[in-house]
Amino acid sequence: MAAKGKLTVGLAGNPNSGKSTIFNNLTGAHQHVGNYPGVTVEKKEGKIVYKDYEITFVDLPGTYSLSAHSEDEIVARDFIIKEKPDIVVHIVDASNLERNLYLYTQLQELEVPVILAMNMSDVVEKRGSKINYAGISRLLGKLVIPTVGNKNKGMDELLNAVIDLHEGKIRIEKIGVDYGEEVKSEFDKVTAGIKKMPDVPKGYPLGWLGIKLLENDSWVTGFIAQLHGGPAILLEAEKSRTHLKKHFSDDPEVIIADRRYGFISGVCTEAQTRSPEERHDLSDKIDKVVLNRFLGLPIFALVMYAIFKFTFTFSEPVVGWFETFFEKAGELAAKVIPEGLTQSFVVDGLIGGVGGVLGFFPLVLFMFFAIAFFEDSGYMARAAFVMDRIMHKFGLHGKSFLPMMISTNGCAVPGIMASRTLDNKKDRLITMMVTPFMICGAKLPIFALFIGAFFAQEQGANMMFLMYALSVAIAFGSAWILKKSVFKGETSHFVMELPPYRIPTIQGLLLKMWERGWLYLKKAGTIILLISIIIWAGFTFPQRETKEGEGKEVAAAVQMEQSFAGRIGKFVEPAVRPLGMDWRGGVALMAGVTAKEVVVSTMGTIYSLGEVDPEEAEPLKEALQKDPSWSPLKAFAFLMFCLIYLPCFVAMAVFYRESGPSLEWTLFLIFWTTVMAWVASFIVYQGGRLLGFGG
Ligand code: GDP
Ligand code: MG
């Protein structure tokens, strides 16, 4: 039978409403991931054939609203207006009906046929609450389908609803928010004006444009302004806004939002029977404590501490196995491969270098798992809320937390890109400037290595906590300095949405852990591997003849010092000597600019090459411990430098692009971080010596 036609269906919804889950259920493996033109927002599409229709589903970015506050919101509404999907399925988290329906009030103004999928209906039931889905359907004049995304329930019903609606077997009504007499009459004036425009913007729903003008939506005003006759309309709208402001003694956008919430609240009261427990919702109770003015921050610190404690306690033995594995692999390779360049390449270059980084893979996994737990439970959103208050004092924007959080244990590259959500250019630059100070996944092995080598095992979690606390302090401190000097100006506030608490699922956590862990592995197997080979070659060439009567140990040391890399190290040594480092530290730090893990792999190669008998390789940690030229104080000063100095190449390239592109700002970043790193490391080392912590 021939296909009856093609349908495009957009999936809209709040973040965490289960949109992607349902998208995956509906489309299975037939997905295509691209980008919306000009932005980093991901565009996921999937095609299926159902009842002779070819249906294309588009997973729109998760948003709470459809104003012009963020790129996500603009992308979502642009898609609906410009690509005109036949139907939009609004995925509603039914367990959080009031907040989720806000988006609905805006969707229906876009005049696109909407179907509501009441997802998480299992959670509603479990709470002992009831939602009268038929009631909502009647009140909103729309199709309402209860679903349970993660159990794949309700998908056929949803598909059938799409087809039925499209075939006109079911009618939907337009029941919109009642904005009240006063707003309505101004709205009528503005829309009448738009209608009379010589080139009426085609394809844009008239009512939507009208309400957006009253709301002073930055995108819509900008859009109208450049149309023929636009400025006159804007003048008219401004008059209306002034009138409303006088009448309500409040901004029209606030009044409009109030009306929307009023509408929703009416719908919810009629259609929702809440269980007594829910009225004093558990989430609210937890929030009373977690968001408390005085307790909020200590609790956040405690959570972070718990993450490190968990990571260190449980990863310790597994990291040990990995170390032993690479140690044995090195010994085996030394036995099998005859002495010479090939042996050195495999033992010192590959196993010594990449092995050092891979050794920390379990630690990274444990850390990712612990962090995913707090993310999925809903706590991290609270942390952002708690931090927002403090961040303002330091001239950062509440939204800066997200880029910093993404960078922490993740990567500064998406972190820097995430700062796009900040509207103000100054706020954005400051955020981009301090985001690389966070301890990303690549810096993690450096800290794990040196803390493991120079501090007692019980101290591991404490030291790690200290380093993270320092990273935050440095980021905040430098934001404050930047705000006071280079970027003077106001920081804007923003409203944060708090999702309800949820017990994370094990599969969800494992998946997240694996997704991020896999990136770590992939990087170690590709870029780190490549750089390790280059570093190994740098230390191995030019080859030098062993002198008569010279011991093996001396020969190895002299070879390294006189190699290309060694000479570079010697050249920078004077600059790092006051920080307690010798040329080896200098080389490792310089190499680390390519990727931060390379600091570890370079150390691995250096110590492996220095090893007299490759068949008795020892883990890098032990080699460092035995080296008398290190001390806990020196290790700490070294970590201080690693914490602050230049982001890696890729991060710098992205910074360059996102800052304008601006070469000046990029050079400023390089200068600023290098100077700060040197000064901080100097203070730690020299200060520590003065205080008698050894040399
Ligand atoms: P998105 O941000 O809207 O794309 O949300 P996701 O699809 O990533 O889902 C967020 C979380 O909710 C995931 O852990 C899902 O497994 C879970 N989830 C999705 N649908 C349901 C549901 O109907 N009931 C419950 N209990 N969990 C769900
Ligand atoms: Mg999603």
Side-chain angles (χ1 to χ4, degrees):
M1 204 164 87
K4 285 187 198 156
K6 291 186 179 183
L7 280 177
T8 308
V9 177
L11 299 184
N14 289 14
N16 275 320
S17 57
K19 229 163 23 62
S20 300
T21 310
I22 290 185
F23 174 76
N24 290 338
N25 289 348
L26 291 173
T27 61
H30 314 284
Q31 300 182 4
H32 170 80
V33 181
N35 264 42
Y36 288 96
V39 291
T40 47
V41 180
E42 220 175 50
K43 182 179 190 177
K44 266 196 191 163
E45 278 187 4
K47 252 190 199 103
I48 58 158
V49 173
Y50 188 82
K51 291 197 173 165
D52 298 319
Y53 282 98
E54 187 186 291
I55 310 180
T56 307
F57 287 97
V58 181
D59 188 12
L60 296 173
T63 56
Y64 295 102
S65 151
L66 288 179
S67 42
H69 290 319
S70 73
E71 215 160 50
D72 283 347
E73 294 186 350
I74 293 178
V75 164
R77 77 186 198 185
D78 259 18
F79 176 84
I80 296 172
I81 293 170
K82 299 208 175 117
E83 308 209 8
K84 297 209 181 312
D86 299 288
I87 288 166
V88 167
V89 172
H90 179 193
I91 314 281
V92 175
D93 173 356
S95 68
N96 202 5
L97 202 55
E98 305 216 31
R99 178 177 304 142
N100 275 250
L101 284 181
Y102 191 78
L103 179 63
Y104 169 78
T105 61
Q106 312 213 337
L107 275 176
Q108 56 95 21
E109 272 164 11
L110 286 174
E111 290 176 7
V112 59
V114 176
I115 293 175
L116 289 130
M118 291 284 164
N119 199 34
M120 312 263 176
S121 51
D122 57 325
V123 180
V124 177
E125 244 169 74
K126 228 183 272 162
R127 272 195 203 151
S129 310
K130 270 203 193 77
I131 293 180
N132 177 357
Y133 298 109
I136 297 187
S137 170
R138 196 170 17 91
L139 289 166
L140 298 179
K142 299 284 181 309
L143 280 170
V144 174
I145 316 287
T147 58
V148 184
N150 57 345
K151 298 266 155 61
N152 210 353
K153 275 193 203 156
M155 298 303 124
D156 282 334
E157 288 82 346
L158 201 53
L159 284 168
N160 290 334
V162 166
I163 304 287
D164 286 351
L165 180 60
H166 178 72
E167 291 183 343
K169 286 189 193 149
I170 300 174
R171 299 221 149 271
I172 55 175
E173 292 168 68
K174 186 170 165 39
I175 302 177
V177 178
D178 178 7
Y179 290 112
E181 278 305 314
E182 221 39 56
V183 176
K184 183 79 173 62
S185 82
E186 297 308 318
F187 169 85
D188 285 343
K189 279 186 212 161
V190 174
T191 42
I194 302 174
K195 237 192 226 161
K196 275 193 236 125
M197 281 170 76
D199 50 346
V200 183
K202 276 188 212 69
Y204 288 85
L206 185 64
W208 180 75
L209 287 175
I211 206 78
K212 285 292 150 191
L213 280 182
L214 290 182
E215 280 184 89
N216 206 17
D217 180 280
S218 59
W219 189 90
V220 172
T221 44
F223 169 72
I224 296 279
Q226 38 104 17
L227 294 175
H228 190 55
I233 301 289
L234 290 186
L235 219 61
E236 192 63 37
E238 203 41 54
K239 256 194 227 150
S240 290
R241 284 176 50 78
T242 318
H243 171 78
L244 289 175
K245 214 182 224 159
K246 252 203 211 119
H247 187 267
F248 292 103
S249 42
D250 212 337
D251 285 334
E253 54 268 37
V254 176
I255 302 303
I256 290 173
D258 272 357
R259 295 286 179 168
R260 286 184 185 140
Y261 278 117
F263 174 78
I264 296 163
S265 147
V267 172
C268 291
T269 326
E270 287 212 25
Q272 212 173 7
T273 325
R274 294 176 163 225
S275 66
E277 308 95 78
E278 203 194 343
R279 277 189 218 126
H280 326 267
D281 194 52
L282 185 62
S283 282
D284 290 344
K285 272 196 200 148
I286 301 177
D287 279 347
K288 282 236 164 59
V289 182
V290 165
L291 299 181
N292 180 283
R293 203 169 247 295
F294 303 104
L295 293 177
L297 201 59
I299 290 177
F300 178 51
L302 214 66
V303 165
M304 291 314 281
Y305 186 76
I307 291 177
F308 300 128
K309 196 73 192 165
F310 169 86
T311 305
F312 268 77
T313 314
F314 291 103
S315 70
E316 170 81 24
V318 193
V319 168
W321 301 335
F322 269 60
E323 279 177 347
T324 314
F325 171 78
F326 286 110
E327 187 185 336
K328 294 282 173 245
E331 286 172 15
L332 183 72
K335 272 203 195 90
V336 176
I337 307 168
E339 208 170 313
L341 269 185
T342 320
Q343 189 200 58
S344 167
F345 174 71
V346 174
V347 175
D348 308 321
L350 299 188
I351 299 175
V354 177
V357 175
L358 286 182
F360 291 105
F361 183 55
L363 183 135
V364 170
L365 284 186
F366 276 96
M367 182 85 101
F368 289 164
F369 185 86
I371 289 186
F373 178 85
F374 285 105
E375 279 175 356
D376 282 11
S377 66
Y379 178 75
M380 282 306 175
R382 268 78 185 176
F385 191 83
V386 169
M387 293 306 279
D388 181 43
R389 288 196 288 244
I390 298 150
M391 293 178 99
H392 265 276
K393 297 204 171 60
F394 289 92
L396 280 163
H397 190 277
K399 278 189 192 167
S400 316
F401 182 78
L402 184 70
M404 290 165 81
M405 197 63 214
I406 292 176
S407 182
T408 307
N409 294 305
C411 176
V413 170
I416 290 173
M417 292 201 293
S419 45
R420 280 189 182 188
T421 51
L422 284 102
D423 301 320
N424 178 310
K425 169 122 199 217
K426 281 181 186 169
D427 291 347
R428 198 158 61 223
L429 271 171
I430 295 187
T431 306
M432 281 166 49
M433 207 77 90
V434 302
T435 293
F437 289 139
M438 309 316 289
I439 297 179
C440 65
K443 285 188 202 171
L444 195 54
I446 314 180
F447 291 89
L449 172 66
F450 281 87
I451 289 173
F454 294 106
F455 297 91
Q457 208 216 303
E458 318 80 78
Q459 294 299 319
N462 297 351
M463 280 303 294
M464 209 55 160
F465 183 68
L466 176 67
M467 294 319 294
Y468 276 79
L470 277 172
S471 73
V472 174
I474 288 163
F476 280 22
S478 48
W480 188 80
I481 294 172
L482 288 171
K483 190 76 185 180
K484 288 276 166 222
S485 53
V486 193
F487 304 99
K488 284 197 196 107
E490 265 303 298
T491 6
S492 44
H493 267 285
F494 89 114
V495 191
M496 200 137 10
E497 296 280 350
L498 299 179
Y501 288 100
R502 199 167 283 142
I503 294 173
T505 61
I506 279 286
Q507 304 103 284
L509 297 182
L510 291 177
L511 192 71
K512 248 188 188 165
M513 171 185 96
W514 183 249
E515 273 175 359
R516 292 175 189 172
W518 173 240
L519 289 181
Y520 184 89
L521 270 190
K522 217 165 76 179
K523 201 169 164 198
T526 53
I527 193 157
I528 309 295
L529 178 68
L530 185 75
I531 298 166
S532 291
I533 294 172
I534 297 171
I535 301 278
W536 169 83
F539 280 116
T540 308
F541 301 103
Q543 285 268 301
R544 152 183 181 279
E545 293 294 319
T546 310
K547 291 216 180 76
E548 195 85 32
E550 191 180 51
K552 261 188 165 179
E553 204 160 331
V554 179
V558 177
Q559 160 66 35
M560 247 197 284
E561 287 193 42
Q562 295 188 356
S563 67
F564 291 125
R567 278 179 231 173
I568 295 173
K570 285 280 172 196
F571 180 75
V572 296
E573 191 170 24
V576 294
R577 202 160 262 303
L579 316 179
M581 287 174 227
D582 61 11
W583 63 274
R584 291 174 300 184
V587 174
L589 286 176
M590 284 189 358
V593 177
T594 54
K596 291 299 162 90
E597 298 95 329
V598 170
V599 172
V600 171
S601 62
T602 304
M603 284 290 176
T605 304
I606 292 175
Y607 280 91
S608 185
L609 280 168
E611 207 67 66
V612 179
D613 187 353
E615 284 184 36
E616 274 174 31
E618 55 188 350
L620 177 54
K621 195 169 93 185
E622 285 164 33
L624 282 169
Q625 273 164 353
K626 281 191 198 149
D627 182 350
S629 62
W630 284 100
S631 70
L633 180 63
K634 283 179 178 170
F636 191 36
F638 184 76
L639 290 187
M640 211 54 202
F641 199 95
C642 290
L643 184 66
I644 307 173
Y645 89 121
L646 295 196
C648 67
F649 269 150
V650 186
M652 279 196 275
V654 172
F655 180 94
Y656 168 71
R657 200 188 67 204
E658 296 287 312
S659 62
S662 157
L663 190 60
E664 289 93 68
W665 284 124
T666 313
L667 290 175
F668 178 74
L669 174 79
I670 292 173
F671 170 79
W672 167 255
T673 49
T674 312
V675 169
M676 285 240 306
W678 198 90
V679 171
S681 181
F682 183 83
I683 292 173
V684 166
Y685 181 59
Q686 300 296 346
R689 277 192 356 160
L690 280 179
L691 293 173
F693 285 113

